[in-house]
Every structure is written in structure tokens, then in C-alpha cells.
């Protein structure tokens, strides 16, 4: 599963600070997700989706969608 956070941020021209404020997640958590060095929980995915105003499904790429 690939997290598409970097692509969404690039498309919307958002910084890690802006995403952190929008989602309530820390900047370090956002950076880890961007580097795909962590496996986010569903709670984290829900916070990202709510903050970015997207469906959870648009946050990741998977063969099993």
C-alpha cells in the first residue's frame, strides 16, 4: 500500500506545517508518512482525510481497493 500524501500536498501546494495544522497531526508524523517510513493507523488516516477533506480511499494506492 502506498500513501499518496506527498502527491496530494504537491498538487495543493501545502507544507508539512499546513497539513499538521489542518489534521491535528505533528509535523514529524506528516514527514514520516510522506517518506513512507511508518504504517499509519486508521485513526491517523481518518484525521488526514478529514483535515484534507478527501475520502480515505484517495489517500492510498492499493491493488485491493
Amino acid at each position: 500500500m502506498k500513501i499518496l500524501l506527498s502527491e496530494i500536498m504537491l498538487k495543493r501546494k501545502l507544507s508539512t506545517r499546513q497539513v499538521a495544522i489542518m489534521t491535528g497531526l505533528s509535523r514529524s508524523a506528516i514527514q514520516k508518512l510522506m517518506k513512507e517510513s511508518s504504517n499509519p493507523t486508521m485513526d491517523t488516516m481518518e484525521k488526514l482525510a478529514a483535515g484534507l477533506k478527501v475520502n480515505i480511499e484517495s489517500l492510498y494506492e492499493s491493488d485491493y481497493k
Side-chain angles (χ1 to χ4, degrees), residues 43-62:
D43 186 50
T44 300
M45 295 295 280
E46 286 179 344
K47 287 179 181 180
L48 281 171
L52 295 170
K53 296 182 178 26
V54 297
N55 294 326
I56 287 179
E57 295 165 346
S58 34
L59 290 173
Y60 67 93
E61 187 176 88
S62 173

Side-chain angles (χ1 to χ4, degrees), residues 15-31:
S15 68
T16 54
R17 181 175 184 273
Q18 289 170 312
V19 174
I21 291 168
M22 293 166 71
T23 62
L25 299 169
S26 68
R27 286 175 60 190
S28 63
I30 302 298
Q31 291 169 339

